[in-house]
Amino acid sequence: MRLLVVEDDPILLRQLRERLGTEGYAVDAAIDGTEAAFLGSNEPYDAIVLDLGLPRRDGLSVLRSWREEGLSIPVLILTARDHWHDKVLGIDAGADDYLAKPFHMEELLARLRALIRRARGHASSELRAGPVVLDTRTGTVTTDGQPLDLTGYEFRVLSYLMHHAGEVVSRTELTEHVYAQDFDRDSNTIEVFIGRLRKKLGGDLIKTVRGLGYRLEIPPDDAP
Ligand code: CA
């Protein structure tokens, strides 16, 4: 899952990047409204954290222009503590959730997980495909109840496929959601991650769809 974090406070931005990185997200950062507007419109994020008070262009106007363009990515806004009115304006402008500063990192993480899940139509925080269960709260994966040891990138690939279970996901799409923008991307390594995941997961849960990409199969008894 790949996030855009927009925050002009360098200390908070660093904390957010570090923590979200440890939680397994690929994170791009923007420090002003103009850069944010550009990245949000051009890169395929899974969610955006948007501070409202920004230099060059304020967060509300950025959010409004995204929604006018038809961008439906979940957006969580950060508001100043005493500016309750900003929350109302933010939600009216198309924010999906908000947090007032200062906030607890754990709360931000929980809200982001919920936003990403709901955007994909998942009500539960546990994603399931046959014997494989991914707990989005703890970032752990089990097969038949046994914990699975995955590297950060293997987790990101599996998490993206599980959020999109039953759909064909192209290699390019996976690449775009697994790596941050400044990373030297190589779509061939996606194949390597898929190979390792197949070995670790056993069975043939991840299908190759010739010429199109990959699909994580939903076994019949798990279908909604
Ligand atoms: Ca600010």
Side-chain angles (χ1 to χ4, degrees):
M1 295 290 153
R2 183 168 163 213
L3 306 177
L4 173 63
V5 176
V6 188
E7 172 58 64
D8 59 319
D9 172 347
I11 295 168
L12 180 56
L13 180 61
R14 202 190 59 226
Q15 289 169 342
L16 285 166
R17 285 191 92 156
E18 283 176 5
R19 186 61 197 273
L20 291 166
T22 349
E23 295 293 321
Y25 295 103
V27 183
D28 288 354
I31 54 168
D32 66 58
T34 311
E35 191 188 11
F38 177 80
L39 285 174
S41 301
N42 290 284
E43 297 289 331
Y45 297 106
D46 297 292
I48 297 176
V49 178
L50 176 69
D51 181 33
L52 289 187
L54 292 171
R56 296 183 73 188
R57 193 171 159 194
D58 75 274
L60 273 179
S61 117
V62 174
L63 177 56
R64 278 194 200 104
S65 65
W66 283 337
R67 294 314 188 211
E68 276 159 20
E69 285 166 24
L71 207 78
S72 62
I73 299 171
V75 175
L76 185 151
I77 54 170
L78 303 178
T79 66
R81 184 172 32 161
D82 299 323
H83 295 198
W84 66 267
H85 197 235
D86 283 354
K87 296 170 193 164
V88 179
L89 290 173
I91 288 166
D92 281 345
D96 299 277
D97 203 353
Y98 64 83
L99 267 179
K101 292 177 180 177
F103 54 82
H104 289 282
M105 202 58 90
E106 299 303 325
E107 185 173 4
L108 177 100
L109 294 171
R111 285 172 185 267
L112 271 178
R113 287 192 296 265
L115 284 180
I116 294 171
R117 232 166 45 217
R118 275 190 245 120
R120 303 301 321 160
H122 299 286
S124 159
S125 58
E126 275 190 358
L127 305 180
R128 213 172 257 281
V132 182
V133 177
L134 186 150
D135 187 330
T136 60
R137 288 164 305 182
T138 54
T140 52
V141 180
T142 55
T143 44
D144 290 319
Q146 297 302 307
L148 209 60
D149 192 17
L150 300 179
T151 66
Y153 282 109
E154 288 165 7
F155 177 82
R156 288 185 195 176
V157 170
L158 182 65
S159 171
Y160 193 80
L161 288 173
M162 288 196 74
H163 277 85
H164 296 257
E167 298 169 23
V168 177
V169 176
S170 73
R171 219 159 60 167
T172 312
E173 185 179 344
L174 269 176
T175 308
E176 285 177 338
H177 289 265
V178 162
Y179 296 113
Q181 197 198 22
D182 50 8
F183 196 87
D184 182 19
R185 299 174 190 178
D186 177 359
S187 69
N188 290 320
T189 56
I190 291 290
E191 248 175 310
V192 176
F193 295 140
I194 294 278
R196 289 198 208 138
L197 277 172
R198 282 184 172 139
K199 228 174 253 165
K200 290 186 179 180
L201 295 172
D204 53 351
L205 214 56
I206 304 174
K207 299 270 190 229
T208 299
V209 185
R210 197 183 289 267
L212 294 175
Y214 304 100
R215 185 176 58 227
L216 192 114
E217 298 287 329
I218 312 174
D221 49 333
D222 282 0

